[in-house]
Amino acid sequence: MNKEELQAKAREQMAELQEKIGSLKDKAADATAELREEYKEQLDELEEMKDKLESKFDQLADATEEEWEEFKDTVAEKAGALKDKLSGFFSRFS
């Protein structure tokens, strides 16, 4: 996958993640007080992971070819971790 393809895929995935996080926030608002606190903790962690991934995606535009190879491995790792965390969250609270 080249840089432009990764950028397009990243934009798509970030939009999906934001939509899912928004959905979880809606569910949290309707949850009991105890669950709402647990939702908040998990959502805070998801938001932090998403922000770090967005930061990496922003750096992509300025990456040299040499940096690009190293960069795409880091981004793939962070995206995978965020996706796993989000999936776990959905399975736990759905």
Side-chain angles (χ1 to χ4, degrees), residues 6 10 53 56-57 60 70-80:
L6 182 60
L53 185 57
K56 285 291 182 189
F57 284 140
L60 175 61
E70 191 176 308
F71 180 81
K72 71 180 177 180
D73 292 336
T74 301
V75 168
E77 181 182 313
K78 288 187 182 295

Side-chain angles (χ1 to χ4, degrees), residues 21 24-25 28 35-50 82 84-86 88-90 92-93:
I21 289 171
L24 290 171
K25 285 180 179 179
L35 271 178
R36 200 171 23 250
E37 183 60 33
E38 197 169 340
Y39 266 104
K40 182 187 178 323
E41 290 173 14
Q42 295 294 317
L43 283 165
D44 288 347
E45 190 175 334
L46 285 170
E47 287 281 356
E48 183 179 330
M49 292 174 78
K50 181 190 70 72
L82 180 57
D84 290 346
K85 182 76 173 174
L86 194 56
F89 189 83
F90 267 109
R92 185 169 177 204
F93 290 105

